[in-house]
Amino acid sequence: MKEVQNDNDNLKPLRIKIDPGAKFTGLALVSDKNIVWAAELEHRGFTIRDSLTSRRQIRRSRRQRKTRYRKPRFLNRRRKDGWLPPSLMSRVYNIQTWVNRLCKLAPIKAISLELVKFDTQKMVNPEINGVEYQRGEIWGYEVRQYLLEKFNHTCVYCGVTNKPFNLDHFHPKSKGGSDRVSNLVLSCVECNQAKGDKLPAEFLSDRLDILTKIDKQRKQPLADAAAVNATRWKLKDILESIGLPVELGSGGLTKYNRQRLNISKTHWTDAACVGLSTPNSLNIMGYQPLIIKAMGRGSRQMVKPDKYGFPRTSPKLRQKSFYGFMTGDIVKAVVSKGKKVGTYVGRIAVRKTGNFNIKTKTDTVQGISHKYCRQLHKSDGYAYSFGQVLSQKINQPKPPTQNTQVQRFKGIQGEQLSLF
């Protein structure tokens, strides 16, 4: 009797390669010298940070006004070892989710992860060395005196001198700015009040030369580098818990592999070049990556507040599904009568009444009845589209032949895609 051969024995083992970042993470499945699958995963960590900051500010303002007051609790809060803020853990969970999904769908035998650490002080000052690492930017100064000398006792917006000055957050805190010294500038009272919480590009839209000059005096924000530094070991531990061997590679090795293979820089091509397992040649010509955007699975807030912290809507229902649909589902609606005749494809926001909003590629269509909707993809917290087809760089370019095939995928109206 002949033994039945297992189909899995004929499958080539795959390696998933990961290039983690603060805003985007590159993912690639590699088999020998071929790219099997690749994607760019867009995180929503900074969106979560802004939401938590807004909630914290509203709570503080309510306490100061003694409305709905409760005493702050500090002594009864304990954090577990290795705790990270939700904005950082969302990046780790997104990568973990997609690694687990790919392990269910493909014979993955190993993982390659770029474990990079950014030297934030060297990013600000490339010449730093020795004891300067222990001495911060304002060593020997108070913050106000440091800024007065840095900007020569001059308002950065209007150039006035010999006036009372305020310390202004160049990028407003209400819109994600930090308290770092590099985000503080010297401003006169009039300019500070006129700027308010406007973004620099908005306030200086008619004086772009001043905006460029201020940017040169300031230093680059390091939020992205700090996010990668804070999550790198947590991500490594979670990937090792899956049970597959994890290969670690540096950022310098990734760059060397990419330049050696003459591949243009994108997030997913960086992922394909992670680690010592990168082959001497990689067939990456004409591949089209999947673009994955983390959208979340709904808000935890039961009531949306106004700018004063008071409820501006009634509490939302605990029920999330109506008429078989849930917010975030990708649907196709063919409206045959009424004022909104047409075909619409996109993500929906459900309503108890049965009239849904559909967000298409171009705009949002409101009031589409559930009777016209057909579900294409259930909500899983992500949105999908396709990126540009990559043209691999080679030393001696050859004219394309008629037999050259480009791996191109057809999504729903070129934007949405259902995978699972």
Side-chain angles (χ1 to χ4, degrees), residues 156-171:
V156 297
Y157 300 119
C158 66
V160 69
T161 58
N162 300 323
K163 272 193 172 184
F165 293 109
N166 290 338
L167 303 187
D168 178 50
H169 289 81
F170 189 67
H171 193 91

Side-chain angles (χ1 to χ4, degrees), residues 2-117:
K2 295 182 179 180
E3 294 183 359
V4 178
Q5 186 177 5
N6 190 354
D7 292 339
N8 292 332
D9 295 339
N10 297 327
L11 297 176
K12 292 184 178 180
L14 303 179
R15 175 182 292 270
I16 181 170
K17 296 194 169 190
I18 306 169
D19 175 38
K23 297 179 181 177
F24 294 90
T25 290
L27 301 171
L29 277 181
V30 181
S31 173
D32 295 334
K33 300 180 180 180
N34 298 316
I35 295 291
V36 177
W37 179 87
E40 291 185 359
L41 174 60
E42 182 178 353
H43 301 291
R44 57 187 300 265
F46 291 114
T47 302
I48 295 175
R49 180 199 63 183
D50 294 340
S51 298
L52 294 176
T53 300
S54 174
R55 185 182 69 177
R56 181 170 62 250
Q57 291 173 343
I58 289 174
R59 284 178 174 175
R60 286 178 177 176
S61 66
R62 283 204 304 259
R63 293 183 187 128
Q64 290 174 357
R65 296 193 310 269
K66 299 187 181 302
T67 54
R68 298 175 63 183
Y69 176 79
R70 66 166 173 79
K71 292 183 179 180
R73 297 169 295 178
F74 298 106
L75 300 180
N76 61 344
R77 297 179 181 180
R78 305 183 70 178
R79 292 173 177 170
K80 297 180 180 179
D81 293 338
W83 177 89
L84 289 176
S87 58
L88 297 180
M89 284 304 301
S90 69
R91 299 176 172 92
V92 178
Y93 289 145
N94 287 340
I95 298 175
Q96 181 187 20
T97 296
W98 278 95
V99 170
N100 288 334
R101 286 184 179 184
L102 293 172
C103 288
K104 292 180 180 179
L105 297 174
I108 298 176
K109 302 300 182 182
I111 301 174
S112 294
L113 172 68
E114 182 181 285
L115 190 69
V116 61
K117 178 182 179 181

Side-chain angles (χ1 to χ4, degrees), residues 122-151:
K122 212 169 189 66
M123 292 170 65
V124 174
N125 178 18
E127 305 299 329
I128 190 172
N129 57 23
V131 73
E132 293 181 6
Y133 273 103
Q134 283 75 42
R135 297 178 177 178
E137 182 180 358
I138 56 173
W139 170 264
Y141 288 91
E142 292 183 357
V143 175
R144 180 174 291 273
Q145 185 62 31
Y146 169 78
L147 292 174
L148 286 171
E149 292 194 19
K150 180 179 180 179
F151 296 104

Side-chain angles (χ1 to χ4, degrees), residues 238-256:
I238 286 183
L239 293 179
E240 288 179 342
S241 66
I242 296 176
L244 297 175
V246 178
E247 174 197 33
L248 302 179
S250 65
L253 179 59
T254 300
K255 182 179 180 180
Y256 168 76

Side-chain angles (χ1 to χ4, degrees), residues 322-325 331-337 340 342 344 348-358 367-375:
F322 296 94
Y323 301 95
F325 297 94
V331 302
K332 180 177 182 181
V334 181
V335 182
S336 57
K337 59 182 180 179
K340 300 174 182 176
Y344 308 99
I348 63 167
V350 299
R351 298 290 183 270
K352 180 181 178 181
T353 59
N355 295 323
F356 302 156
N357 297 343
I358 302 179
I368 301 297
S369 174
H370 69 92
K371 299 178 182 179
Y372 298 118
C373 297
R374 179 171 63 89
Q375 192 178 70

Side-chain angles (χ1 to χ4, degrees), residues 328-330 375-380 382 384 417-420:
D329 289 350
I330 300 176
Q375 192 178 70
L376 301 177
H377 177 61
K378 280 187 171 295
S379 173
D380 62 350
Y382 298 93
Y384 305 97
L417 173 72
S418 178
L419 289 181
F420 305 101

